[in-house]
Amino acid sequence: MKNNLTIVGSGLTGPLLSTILAKQCNLNINVFERSDDPRKLNNFSGRSINLALSKRGITALKFAGVYDNDFESLLIPMNGRTIHSESGKVTFQAYGNKKSHYINSVSRSAINKILMDNAEKTGKVKIHFNMKCDKADLNENKLYFNNKSIKIDSPVIGADGYKSVISKNISQINGDSLEYINIEHSYKELTILPKNSEYQMEPNSLHIWPRRDMMMIALPNLDRSFTCTLFMKSGGENSFEEINDSKKLHDFFETNFNDALNLISNLEHDFFHNPTGQLIGLKVPQWNHDDKGLIIGDAAHATVPFYGQGMNASFEDCRIFGELINQKKDFDWSQIFQEFYSSRKKDADSILDLSLDNYKVMRNDVLDDTHIKKQKLSFILNSEFPDYFIPLYTMVSFTSIPYSIALERGNIQNMILDELIDDNLSEVENYNKKRAEELITKHLSIINNA
């Protein structure tokens, strides 16, 4: 039992975690996955096929020894946001002030297959497919698959997503309630196909059509298409519920996304055939139960996609857990699980808060002059005070600064920006440098931004 481990879920987190633990801890790991082996399938569910990989995720992949040339060839760098206004005007807003400040568009299915391959290559990981975990009873060391119980002779880690069976069992044992954050908006995937075998828009950018109470985004794919995601209210005016026939769909796009109509050639098919997805965040009060069980990734802290950090946060979980277990002389699972939970919970909750805030930024604030001025001034202050002032997006996407610290410092920095930018400041380069230095050195400490 000491050298065995069971993981439920083989999405993205499960294979990466099993690779790290098999390689570095010499563990024998059984992974149970509810679905078919995706390497043997060629289908599309209509849900979230693009992800954004950034610093935290890449650091974890390197820690696991799976980030190589083959992996890097899957990535399309995106240097910033291309904003498509309602008037048709197109502008660009960089993510950062350094060449290294870019995020990467990557296919969910491609990264999942590579991670599964690497897990199995260790020779210590066995992935069991078509094993839907219906129920868990950690106290009795039992998991139920397809309504049949299996005795488990090892600790269990739930990497089984925001509907996690392991999470529910741990919460039941602890007498807790899962905290789901269900916002009123939903999403639907659409596609911009290539034209003459080329991209129809700039590929090295994340495209956004912000419309105050809704937005559409587009991420590039290697086949020169773009995966679009439309975010808007689930019900009521200007909602998915309201658009129930072809005329209403065309009228809606003509009014709100007119410049995208000619780009999305299969709009009607995609809109009415692809499912409408829910946007749900999750905060789990307690992640562990003695030496019997732990949850990780989305099972512990599912977030909404507006900071592009869901996968990155889950991968960072794997790295932190791997580093923690490497520090131990033996597998005291109870202690390891508790330490991991204690060290990670606050940061996991913080990235959900950050992501919810960033939805407003993406659909609304990017259109406002004040936001644009603040972004520009934040880059200037970062250049002038690099050890003190680091823009919030930079902290989240391009460093390993804990999310909770990024959130806390981001709020302080926003207050500083508010004080430095007023109605009389027409050009941000003319900001009050003396006042800036006073505020920054008073409210911010030096921070390691590695």
Side-chain angles (χ1 to χ4, degrees), residues 1 4-9 17 27-32 128 143 145 151-159 166 292-294 333 337:
M1 181 173 177
N4 294 335
L5 190 68
T6 299
I7 295 177
V8 178
L17 181 63
L27 292 172
N28 297 302
I29 302 168
N30 282 300
V31 181
F32 294 96
H128 308 267
L143 295 176
F145 297 98
K151 193 78 170 176
I152 302 296
D153 66 345
S154 70
V156 175
I157 296 181
I166 310 304
K292 296 179 179 293
L294 174 78
W333 291 112
F337 290 168

Side-chain angles (χ1 to χ4, degrees), residues 298-400:
D298 283 354
H301 53 79
T303 188
V304 290
F306 305 116
Y307 234 117
Q309 285 295 304
M311 172 180 63
N312 292 287
S314 294
F315 284 1
E316 190 173 57
D317 281 356
C318 297
R319 176 185 64 79
I320 290 171
F321 188 83
E323 289 176 343
L324 176 63
I325 204 170
N326 279 344
Q327 296 168 9
K328 305 300 178 183
K329 294 180 180 179
D330 57 24
F331 296 129
D332 183 344
W333 291 112
S334 181
Q335 183 185 20
I336 291 167
F337 290 168
Q338 180 61 36
E339 285 188 25
F340 173 72
Y341 160 74
S342 298
S343 67
R344 192 63 174 154
K345 168 68 172 167
K346 186 178 180 182
D347 292 323
D349 288 348
S350 295
I351 189 53
L352 176 56
D353 295 336
L354 284 161
S355 299
L356 290 168
D357 288 343
N358 208 46
Y359 186 26
K360 177 178 176 292
V361 172
M362 293 176 73
R363 75 174 194 265
N364 184 78
D365 295 359
V366 293
L367 297 169
D368 295 336
D369 287 341
T370 300
H371 170 80
I372 294 169
K373 283 182 179 179
K374 286 167 106 174
Q375 184 185 45
K376 190 173 182 181
L377 181 54
S378 71
F379 291 162
I380 294 173
L381 294 177
N382 177 234
S383 297
E384 293 290 330
F385 307 94
D387 296 326
Y388 289 88
F389 196 105
I390 305 172
L392 177 59
Y393 193 93
T394 298
M395 285 192 283
V396 171
S397 297
F398 308 127
T399 79
S400 296

